[in-house]
Amino acid sequence: MKRVPVLALVLWICLLFYVGIWIFLSGFLLVKVEVNRSSSCKDELFSKHDSSHTEHFCWSEPRFKRAVILIIDALQFDFARFDPEIKDPRHFQNKLGVLSEVVASRPAHARLYPFRADPPTTTMQRIKGFTTGSLPTFVDVCSNFGTNAIQEDNLIHQLGQNGKRVVFMGDDTWENLFPNQFHRSLPFPSFIVKDLHTVDNGILQHLYSTVESSDWDVVIAHFLGVDHCGHRYGPDHQAMADKLTQMDQVIRSVIERLQNDTLLVVLGDHGMTDTGDHGGDSQKETDAALFLYSPSALFTAGQEKALQEVVPQIDLVPTLAQLLGIPIPYSNIGKVMVELFALGSPEDQSAQERRQAEALWINANQVNSYLDTYSLANKDLSPVILAHLKDTFLLAAAEYKALFGVPLAGGPEHSSRVQALIATFQQYLNQVRETCQASWARFHPLRMVAGIAVLAAACALCFITSDFADVVGASYRRLLWIPVVCGAVAGGGVALWQFVTRSEVDVLSSLGMAALVSQLSFFWNFCRRKATRVFAHNPSDLLNAAADAAQHRPALTWPSVPLVIFFLRCASLFSDSYVVAEGRVATFLLSSLAIYIPVQLNWAGRLLLLFEAQKSTPTCLPPQPSTPAASSSYKKESLTLLGCTGFLVASLYASHSFHGCRDEQGGCEPSAFLTPLSGLRDIQLRNFRYLLSVSSIIAWVCLVRRWMRHYGNMNSKSPAVLVARFGLPLVAMFVCLYWAMSSAPYEGFGNLQEVVKLALLVFPRAVYVLFGLGVAVVCWDPLMVFLKTRKEPATSLLPPTYRASTGVSLQAELQHLIPHIYQRMRKSLRAGEREGAGREDDGQPTVEAYGLGTVYSAPLLLVLALLGLVLAMLHPEGLMLSFMLLLLQACAILHMHSAATSLSTPGSRAGCFSVSWFAVLMWGLAATQFFYSTGHLPTFPSIQWNSAFVGLSEVHAGHLAPALLVTLNTFSSQILFAVSCPLLLLWPLVCESTKAGKRGRRAGEGEDREEAVMEMRLRENPDRFSTALLQLGARYLFIHGAQLLASVCAAAILRRHLMVWKIFAPKLIFEASGFAVTSVCVLLGLALVMRVDSAVSDWFKRLIPDHSR
Amino acid sequence: MEPTTTPVSATQQVKEKVTMKDIEIKGMVSAHCIIAVSIVMATIVPAVLLDDFSVYGTHLVWLYICTAGVAAVNIAIYTVLGVSPPTKKNTLSHKVTKVSKSCLYFMFSCLLFHGIIVLYGAPLLESASETFSFAVLLSTFTTLRCLCILGPNGQAWIRVFSRNGAMSIWDTSLQITTASSVIGAWLGAFPIPLDWERPWQVWPISCTLGATLGFVAGLFIAPLWIHWHRKQLTYKSK
């Protein structure tokens, strides 16, 4: 048994996957840490260097008291431009005539700019962008995952802080982002993309009356019609022309109603492509329009340029803030639009410049303090660049103080210095934005491609390992250590080179290089190994190889139907509709696979359902079952298979009743079992539900114990058995008590409230402790075998009987234990006694070992039972039913697998431990399916946050333990199925016993026939055992890894898709974390089996000398 | 003498068999064409005769007409052709039992299909009539043909659907059409979750259309496939 190489191989494969995921995500997900500080008017602009001089954010008089902000969703710049030379305008051209009319007629009052958004160009991200002045990324690491509300400082927050009354109307996304922050709010549903008019007409009903009234300071109106029109018809459609004409009218009407102290801002949050989509970073998607207008003069006359320079979207934030006289939001990195501050008489150049310099100075100060705070919180900005930026800022600050700190100086020299200072500030702010953009707002195509390459190679490697597990396992030195060494050398080389040339190390590139090189080296070595066929040196190896080749032929020609189903499963990850309906897709595919198995067996003539009468026509009977006994066992097996299939499909159907609901699924009701019991009003219903959960937990414990008792694992006094006897029921009891306590209403207890609180902490902790103890005990001594030695009378000529006879224990007798004898042990005993002993049995100690047949699966099952209870405790109480269903369904799959194995490979299967793709695929699909059936969804709001504090006091829990609990809760299905993965290998051997036993008994002469050695077969062939474990692990990882690869490719290919940040990216994150959890658990499961194996070896070593004396 | 005559007779036998098979295949082609035409007619004729008839809009009407048409044509053709297994007793009572048994089998298969479809994810209570109609359609495409060709004999059905179980080209065609109808219905479920909002994505239209298309495809594939493999196909005598 090669333990370390197998584990090392699987671990290496896992690490390759991790590196691939990490590289891809670093190029795809742009991470930024949110700084939860907000500016206020009291923030001092001058830092400690100069305390004598204090100026504040709001020291100057605001230019405008009020503002009307009209957001026209997806207003591309081309829509807003007016070009009279176009003879035959397309539907989206030349419809917003008002903008250019006003710009032409009142150049000092209005201006139209191209307005460039940062990707991702989706509405919610953009709203975040032009209110916070920051670059929102997909994963804004913030303190609270559960809500969509913006945590960072933003314009709306500042407006509220400074007493401005904000009236909002339009897209209800705002209401989610800024809950309860508006003076008045009229949200309209944004979800129905087909609906062009509801939102706009709703706004128009209220807009004009609001503007005419005086009950507001800022009006925000967000029109969705243009965007929806683009999604539905594309830009070049009559409906778009109508919509833009309507918007033209709206802008005209608003302009008519404006007063002198009011600023009008018309902006598009993003553009759209020629097909009407948005989300990506092409110029048509990013370039929107920005139109500024005020009845009082905005600009210095005569300064308008023919071609307006592009305004980055975030620049609006400091500009608006300063125009309205509020502090710039803390996290803003935008640059103020200086031409708006060059006010005053055209002659007084220096006053204009002074105003501009002041605006920039305030802006630069705010950006500088933000960068200071941010670089403390996160290190993703390069320190070299940060230091450079700091230097620039300090120089400019000194210059500013020198110029304006002293009483007014004049002269041309002063003016040129001021101009240089303005340029320096602008340059500084531009550099800051570019630095942050490079770090936060751009996909890295190279990293994405590299990540996909590493992942694809890891999948291929996994597949090769699973199909040539014997080759890989036999020559692991060449196929594992050499690639690892090569990879380490390559990665180290890259790191060293980087260190030498640039004196900093990019971990990602060196890791990626290491992974790729080691994978290439593996493929190279594998091909050479295959080509040269090294094993030809040793004849026995050759035999093995030939046998393996024969066995592998069916495995190599992958059975087409699982391939098709698996392909469909992976392909479904490329469609948003299928990802939304994934729970049902997995169920559908799983039941298809389940039904296909009996059909396929029948097609191959292996399924014996033909009735007695049919035996007279042997032409259509398969030739294998000759004896009636074998035939009847075949029939039994076939019936088991059919029964399990039916049960599996029915339980798949039943598992639908535990599903949750996504936002995208219309008309879906989340399962009633997902509400915790404490949320139920009806006491009777609550009691009934509680009883239901308790009875299923009892059933869970009883089933596991019954199984162990049936296979004789409950007899000995070993600590593991004690865990099964007492630990398991105790854990179940504590879980039930915890549920009882948590579902009790607080008010009802009065004085006992403290007790309830204490109990809520104590019971889960007791469960954790018992679980930890149980697992530790099982790892320390995993044998659940009861050994009985007996001296046969010396004269006895009878062969030793291996039946459960008297004297075991009263309990064992009562429970009709079936002993399982390890026959080979007897032989090895003889061998231990040397050849001199001859063939006589007399005087030999006969050893009866109970539970040896399930020596591997019993501890695994025990750990799983404990784990399942702990995981169930983290869920709402009602989901215990789902866990029970999971157990039964897993059992059905295992039985189907073993029945199908024994039906399709009749006769001897000793030494052939290969687990078919069928079974592994079903196992993987079931893991996905139960992810949904435990009420989870791949979206962030649906994470069950309640589980974070089960058994933890909320005050001093820290971060690690809640995160662990939430992970356990979210991926409980993946964890259970991954840890129990080795059961797929063990179960056919376990099921072998009943058949063999019966066959033996019926034949009447148990001795000469093949004994049911069950899992001892594995011990007899340690090499094949480790090969089989390696193969199983690699296959299971391949199933999950290929799904991950599909998900990654979907996210990469569809990164411009409308739904990428809503569906594909969360799905990718859940898939990736699910894979990480799965792989760790697969490793743990394999390690547990190997620990049992080593314990069994020790046990035999102790046993044999003991008895041969 | 014997060594020389046997091969000759053997080749003659093979030739006879092949010609027999050719005739049979021709018969099958015509039978299948008639069934396919009946499906087409079930779509066209009501559209001409009935007002506001459309396959999507009044789907159930189309479904019933199609089912009835296919069932009638199937029964008629196979009675005329006489492919069903010869019965020893040809009495009236025997025939009555056989027919009633067939009806029972058919009902049972409808219920079974209904159950399977629901287990595959069809709504349980709402649109139960649609689901059942779909089950009837599927039974017509599969069970009814089994009944016509094999008679109400469960063991024969199980035998037919194994690799070596076909005993005539009709059995082979049965295998092909049944598999293709079921696969068509299975594939028909795929577009349902998509958000295209087309009229044919409504349950059970895509599945019934898939099953029908699969069945028609099976009708054409079966003779072609048998013709292609007529050398390899050897049927054991009953």
Side-chain angles (χ1 to χ4, degrees):
Chain A
M1 179 94 184
K2 299 193 202 79
R3 294 190 193 106
V4 177
V6 168
L7 280 182
L9 260 169
V10 176
L11 180 68
W12 176 57
I13 293 173
C14 292
L15 288 178
L16 290 178
F17 272 111
Y18 298 159
V19 170
I21 298 170
W22 191 26
I23 294 176
F24 180 83
L25 288 185
S26 71
F28 180 73
L29 295 180
L30 317 143
V31 180
K32 185 191 81 178
V33 176
E34 278 189 6
V35 176
N36 285 350
R37 284 175 64 172
S38 50
S39 313
S40 78
C41 278
K42 298 200 180 69
D43 284 349
E44 288 178 15
L45 285 185
F46 291 96
S47 45
K48 300 140 211 151
H49 305 295
D50 185 9
S51 55
S52 65
H53 200 113
T54 49
E55 283 179 276
H56 302 307
F57 259 130
C58 325
W59 59 288
S60 59
E61 194 56 23
R63 285 267 301 279
F64 294 97
K65 284 208 173 68
R66 312 204 287 179
V68 176
I69 303 173
L70 300 182
I71 299 150
I72 301 176
D73 210 292
L75 181 70
Q76 206 197 14
F77 185 62
D78 289 345
F79 297 179
R81 239 181 357 198
F82 190 88
D83 189 353
E85 286 174 17
I86 297 177
K87 289 279 179 314
D88 184 17
R90 296 167 69 183
H91 287 299
F92 59 85
Q93 282 173 327
N94 289 358
K95 292 295 180 292
L96 286 177
V98 57
L99 303 182
S100 44
E101 276 172 34
V102 175
V103 170
S105 62
R106 310 181 71 182
H109 296 260
R111 206 165 275 185
L112 176 66
Y113 296 93
F115 193 42
R116 183 160 294 165
D118 302 296
T121 48
T122 52
T123 298
M124 189 165 87
Q125 260 74 16
R126 285 343 318 148
I127 294 176
K128 280 190 185 179
F130 64 73
T131 53
T132 60
S134 171
L135 304 170
T137 54
F138 173 64
V139 185
D140 290 334
V141 181
C142 53
S143 53
N144 193 351
F145 270 113
T147 160
N148 281 330
I150 294 186
Q151 307 284 312
E152 281 186 308
D153 193 14
N154 58 65
L155 276 181
I156 310 296
H157 174 73
Q158 288 298 344
L159 287 170
Q161 289 288 304
N162 292 280
K164 302 268 185 189
R165 291 161 295 173
V166 184
V167 177
F168 168 74
M169 49 190 85
D171 185 349
D172 59 359
T173 314
W174 286 75
E175 190 62 19
N176 297 329
L177 292 176
F178 308 101
N180 306 322
Q181 294 196 28
F182 298 114
H183 175 63
R184 202 142 60 82
S185 163
L186 299 161
F188 297 96
S190 62
F191 188 63
I192 311 156
V193 180
K194 299 264 151 84
D195 181 2
L196 306 189
H197 300 297
T198 307
V199 178
D200 294 3
N201 292 346
I203 295 171
L204 292 182
Q205 273 184 2
H206 302 282
L207 180 63
Y208 303 135
S209 56
T210 309
V211 172
E212 281 165 359
S213 76
S214 59
D215 182 29
W216 59 278
D217 291 305
V218 176
V219 170
I220 300 173
H222 192 142
F223 294 92
L224 279 178
V226 175
D227 180 54
H228 285 186
C229 191
H231 283 305
R232 188 159 183 199
Y233 302 111
D236 199 7
H237 190 274
Q238 181 57 40
M240 182 64 87
D242 297 345
K243 205 75 223 178
L244 289 174
T245 314
Q246 184 194 15
M247 289 298 123
D248 186 69
Q249 286 304 318
V250 171
I251 297 168
R252 280 174 205 278
S253 316
V254 172
I255 286 178
E256 283 166 15
R257 289 172 170 80
L258 287 185
Q259 290 169 2
N260 271 345
D261 60 349
T262 312
L263 173 73
L264 171 68
V265 183
V266 178
L267 63 97
D269 58 346
H270 51 75
M272 65 167 75
T273 60
D274 291 338
T275 54
D277 295 323
H278 56 88
D281 53 1
S282 71
Q283 201 192 343
K284 291 205 161 176
E285 289 162 275
T286 54
D287 276 15
L290 170 67
F291 173 76
L292 296 171
Y293 168 81
S294 171
S296 57
L298 258 179
F299 302 91
T300 324
Q303 275 195 349
E304 67 270 25
K305 303 162 199 157
L307 236 175
Q308 299 296 352
E309 58 181 310
V310 174
V311 178
Q313 199 176 52
I314 47 176
D315 286 4
L316 185 67
V317 175
T319 313
L320 267 185
Q322 295 212 14
L323 287 177
L324 292 170
I326 55 170
I328 303 175
Y330 194 84
S331 315
N332 163 62
I333 52 166
K335 177 188 68 177
V336 80
M337 295 161 70
V338 279
E339 60 264 43
L340 282 163
F341 293 87
L343 209 66
S345 56
E347 297 82 42
D348 194 358
Q349 192 85 19
S350 71
Q352 283 183 14
E353 279 164 359
R354 189 187 166 95
R355 290 278 302 169
Q356 291 184 339
E358 270 169 10
L360 280 168
W361 164 241
I362 295 173
N363 191 194
N365 245 306
Q366 168 266 325
V367 167
N368 177 53
S369 70
Y370 172 63
L371 278 188
D372 285 349
T373 320
Y374 185 83
S375 56
L376 283 180
N378 196 13
K379 304 274 180 262
D380 61 350
L381 298 178
S382 149
V384 180
I385 300 176
L386 276 179
H388 170 71
L389 287 173
K390 188 89 193 169
D391 288 347
T392 319
F393 173 76
L394 288 178
L395 277 178
E399 175 77 5
Y400 179 81
K401 275 175 227 161
L403 284 175
F404 298 107
V406 289
L408 267 179
E413 191 210 359
H414 186 263
S415 169
S416 70
R417 275 179 71 186
V418 172
Q419 277 171 7
L421 178 65
I422 290 174
T424 317
F425 273 135
Q426 286 183 319
Q427 198 193 350
Y428 167 72
L429 289 167
N430 282 337
Q431 278 178 355
V432 170
R433 198 189 61 238
E434 278 163 20
T435 311
C436 294
Q437 240 165 5
S439 163
W440 298 338
R442 253 177 226 146
F443 292 125
H444 290 270
L446 181 68
R447 284 191 194 167
M448 283 159 72
V449 170
I452 290 177
V454 171
L455 278 177
C459 275
L461 201 152
C462 212
F463 187 77
I464 288 178
T465 311
S466 75
D467 260 10
F468 299 92
D470 49 341
V471 180
V472 177
S475 51
Y476 65 92
R477 264 174 237 287
R478 188 179 286 266
L479 291 181
L480 174 62
W481 303 129
I482 292 184
V484 167
V485 168
C486 286
V489 166
V494 169
L496 195 69
W497 180 72
Q498 282 172 343
F499 188 74
V500 168
T501 52
R502 283 183 289 164
S503 77
E504 54 175 332
V505 176
D506 181 19
V507 184
L508 267 181
S509 61
S510 45
L511 265 182
M513 187 52 113
L516 274 179
V517 166
S518 71
Q519 282 164 336
L520 287 179
S521 146
F522 174 87
F523 292 131
W524 166 252
N525 278 316
F526 179 77
C527 290
R528 273 201 13 213
R529 181 94 184 153
K530 279 230 68 167
T532 53
R533 283 268 167 201
V534 194
F535 358 16
H537 297 304
N538 191 333
S540 72
D541 270 4
L542 188 65
L543 269 179
N544 280 347
D548 286 345
Q551 276 166 22
H552 274 305
R553 204 165 296 128
L556 266 181
T557 55
W558 187 335
S560 54
V561 167
L563 176 72
V564 167
I565 297 231
F566 187 56
F567 175 77
L568 287 174
R569 162 84 188 109
C570 291
S572 76
L573 293 170
F574 283 82
S575 155
D576 55 335
S577 310
Y578 282 126
V579 173
V580 168
E582 198 193 10
R584 294 196 152 244
V585 170
T587 320
F588 182 84
L589 293 179
L590 192 52
S591 36
S592 302
L593 203 56
I595 289 184
Y596 176 72
I597 287 179
V599 170
Q600 193 261 339
L601 280 173
N602 185 44
W603 176 251
R606 306 276 190 202
L607 195 67
L608 261 198
L609 282 176
L610 304 178
F611 309 101
E612 301 300 316
Q614 201 65 22
K615 281 188 182 149
S616 54
T617 59
T619 44
C620 51
L621 267 180
Q624 285 86 15
S626 46
T627 64
S631 160
S632 84
S633 98
Y634 256 79
K635 200 166 159 191
K636 194 165 180 309
E637 201 95 320
S638 308
L639 286 176
T640 314
L641 179 68
L642 280 185
C644 286
T645 311
F647 179 79
L648 176 63
V649 177
S651 66
L652 284 175
Y653 185 75
S655 71
H656 279 310
S657 53
F658 300 101
H659 279 205
C661 280
R662 289 180 74 121
D663 299 343
E664 292 87 356
Q665 288 171 311
C668 166
E669 278 284 310
S671 161
F673 293 102
L674 286 172
T675 48
L677 285 189
S678 50
L680 287 181
R681 299 245 163 241
D682 187 356
I683 292 181
Q684 287 218 319
L685 182 65
R686 191 194 294 166
N687 288 346
F688 174 69
R689 287 265 307 274
Y690 181 68
L691 278 182
L692 218 59
S693 299
V694 168
S695 50
S696 54
I697 215 171
I698 291 173
W700 172 284
V701 172
C702 286
L703 270 179
V704 172
R705 281 173 52 115
R706 214 188 119 72
W707 185 90
M708 287 183 179
R709 188 170 296 148
H710 179 257
Y711 287 104
N713 292 110
M714 297 285 274
N715 292 313
S716 76
K717 297 276 184 291
S718 80
V721 177
L722 290 184
V723 170
R725 270 210 194 136
F726 304 111
L728 201 56
L730 215 58
V731 168
M733 195 185 74
F734 280 128
V735 172
C736 290
L737 284 174
Y738 167 68
W739 283 342
M741 286 295 154
S742 66
S743 62
Y746 271 118
E747 318 85 57
F749 281 91
N751 295 337
L752 292 176
Q753 209 156 329
E754 286 303 310
V755 181
V756 171
K757 255 185 195 164
L758 188 70
L760 282 181
L761 286 187
V762 167
F763 289 134
R765 285 181 187 182
V767 170
Y768 297 145
V769 168
L770 278 175
F771 171 71
L773 269 179
V775 171
V777 162
V778 171
C779 289
W780 175 55
D781 182 12
L783 291 186
M784 298 172 77
V785 175
F786 178 59
L787 191 71
K788 193 185 139 210
T789 54
R790 186 170 38 155
K791 278 273 181 190
E792 289 287 319
T795 52
S796 163
L797 289 175
L798 289 167
T801 54
Y802 300 104
R803 302 283 306 275
S805 46
T806 54
V808 179
S809 73
L810 190 60
Q811 193 193 7
E813 280 300 317
L814 283 173
Q815 286 159 355
H816 305 292
L817 283 170
I818 305 167
H820 296 293
I821 305 101
Y822 184 34
Q823 199 175 11
R824 302 299 165 98
M825 206 166 71
R826 201 159 40 99
K827 286 182 187 159
S828 62
L829 283 176
R830 276 188 206 136
E833 239 213 350
R834 282 173 301 104
E835 56 279 1
R839 301 233 351 113
E840 299 89 8
D841 286 316
D842 45 41
Q844 291 294 322
T846 307
V847 177
E848 292 186 4
Y850 295 79
L852 202 55
T854 51
V855 67
Y856 294 106
S857 42
L860 192 56
L861 209 65
L862 179 59
V863 169
L864 279 171
L866 285 170
L867 188 63
L869 288 181
V870 172
L871 293 179
M873 185 179 70
L874 299 176
H875 282 82
E877 298 85 348
L879 286 180
M880 187 61 218
L881 287 174
S882 165
F883 275 82
M884 193 59 219
L885 203 64
L886 181 147
L887 182 75
L888 293 176
Q889 188 181 321
C891 205
I893 293 179
L894 286 172
H895 270 295
M896 277 178 73
H897 162 56
S898 60
T901 315
S902 75
L903 283 176
S904 55
T905 55
S908 84
R909 57 174 153 197
C912 174
F913 300 133
S914 160
V915 178
S916 63
W917 281 106
F918 261 128
V920 182
L921 182 57
M922 282 176 86
W923 210 243
L925 279 178
T928 310
Q929 180 237 334
F930 264 101
F931 173 75
Y932 286 91
S933 295
T934 44
H936 296 289
L937 295 169
T939 57
F940 290 112
S942 71
I943 293 177
Q944 297 174 356
W945 297 106
N946 288 338
S947 61
F949 295 105
V950 174
L952 299 176
S953 57
E954 308 205 359
V955 192
H956 14 236
H959 284 297
L960 202 62
L964 180 71
L965 288 183
V966 169
T967 312
L968 286 179
N969 165 288
T970 307
F971 298 107
S972 52
S973 141
Q974 276 94 336
I975 292 172
L976 282 176
F977 277 97
V979 174
S980 59
C981 191
L983 285 181
L984 283 174
L985 172 65
L986 303 173
W987 207 265
L989 300 166
V990 171
C991 286
E992 180 191 28
S993 75
T994 44
K995 278 167 285 169
K998 271 182 195 142
R999 213 180 302 171
R1001 206 170 300 156
R1002 191 165 302 176
E1005 25 176 22
E1007 173 59 8
D1008 280 348
R1009 300 187 68 88
E1010 191 187 342
E1011 283 292 338
V1013 291
M1014 293 166 74
E1015 289 174 6
M1016 280 300 121
R1017 268 191 214 292
L1018 294 169
R1019 230 201 98 60
E1020 287 162 23
N1021 300 307
D1023 282 341
R1024 284 175 186 280
F1025 185 20
S1026 52
T1027 306
L1029 277 180
L1030 175 62
Q1031 184 182 43
L1032 181 65
R1035 281 193 175 173
Y1036 194 66
L1037 282 182
F1038 175 77
I1039 297 285
H1040 281 275
Q1043 284 177 25
L1044 173 67
L1045 180 65
S1047 188
V1048 161
C1049 289
I1053 293 169
L1054 301 171
R1055 61 184 186 280
R1056 308 270 166 92
H1057 193 275
L1058 172 66
M1059 288 293 176
V1060 71
W1061 301 110
K1062 210 163 179 198
I1063 293 180
F1064 291 112
K1067 174 67 194 154
L1068 168 64
I1069 298 206
F1070 272 80
E1071 196 74 42
S1073 4
F1075 179 83
V1077 171
T1078 303
S1079 55
V1080 169
C1081 291
V1082 165
L1083 273 173
L1084 290 180
L1086 293 182
L1088 184 61
V1089 171
M1090 287 170 181
R1091 167 71 196 115
V1092 179
D1093 187 64
S1094 78
V1096 172
S1097 308
D1098 291 347
W1099 187 71
F1100 277 121
K1101 267 184 210 146
R1102 266 184 287 131
L1103 199 67
I1104 292 171
D1106 197 38
H1107 285 290
S1108 53
R1109 242 171 251 139
Chain B
M1 289 298 278
E2 265 185 26
T4 50
T5 51
T6 355
V8 170
S9 65
T11 46
Q12 270 175 353
Q13 272 179 0
V14 168
K15 265 184 191 167
E16 272 170 26
K17 266 195 180 169
V18 167
T19 47
M20 273 287 288
K21 226 182 245 173
D22 282 342
I23 293 169
E24 270 187 307
I25 291 173
K26 274 174 194 159
M28 178 185 288
V29 169
S30 43
H32 283 186
C33 279
I34 293 171
I35 298 171
V37 165
S38 79
I39 291 177
V40 175
M41 293 303 279
T43 317
I44 294 173
V45 171
V48 176
L49 296 182
L50 295 175
D51 292 339
D52 57 66
F53 171 88
S54 72
V55 175
Y56 305 147
T58 53
H59 185 68
L60 283 187
V61 175
W62 172 81
L63 202 155
Y64 293 138
I65 294 174
C66 184
T67 311
V70 171
V73 171
N74 254 318
I75 293 171
I77 284 179
Y78 291 111
T79 326
V80 170
L81 281 177
V83 249
S84 55
T87 45
K88 287 158 200 162
K89 290 172 275 181
N90 215 355
T91 59
L92 184 68
S93 69
H94 190 79
K95 271 183 179 163
V96 168
T97 21
K98 198 176 154 186
V99 167
S100 55
K101 220 173 157 187
S102 298
C103 288
L104 210 67
Y105 267 60
F106 188 76
M107 285 307 297
F108 181 70
S109 105
C110 289
L111 290 177
L112 187 73
F113 270 121
H114 187 100
I116 290 177
I117 293 164
V118 167
L119 286 180
Y120 261 87
L124 181 64
L125 295 178
E126 71 234 55
S127 65
S129 67
E130 277 89 347
T131 310
F132 191 73
S133 313
F134 175 42
V136 172
L137 182 82
L138 214 49
S139 301
T140 314
F141 290 157
T142 57
T143 320
L144 189 74
R145 282 173 59 81
C146 285
L147 283 169
C148 287
I149 294 174
L150 301 170
N153 178 355
Q155 287 149 31
W157 294 15
I158 292 174
R159 162 183 61 77
V160 163
F161 293 106
S162 66
R163 191 180 286 140
N164 307 322
M167 288 187 187
S168 69
I169 60 167
W170 294 102
D171 289 1
T172 313
S173 88
L174 190 63
Q175 288 174 353
I176 292 171
T177 51
T178 306
S180 58
S181 328
V182 172
I183 290 173
W186 186 72
L187 288 177
F190 282 70
I192 293 178
L194 292 172
D195 55 358
W196 300 343
E197 313 221 350
R198 299 293 154 90
W200 47 266
Q201 279 179 295
V202 180
W203 172 254
I205 298 179
S206 59
C207 283
T208 51
L209 291 186
T212 314
L213 290 180
F215 180 63
V216 173
L219 288 179
F220 289 113
I221 290 169
L224 284 178
W225 194 86
I226 293 168
H227 184 72
W228 214 260
H229 294 266
R230 65 186 184 283
K231 293 277 158 47
Q232 290 97 304
L233 282 173
T234 50
Y235 295 112
K236 284 151 195 156
S237 57
K238 289 177 187 174

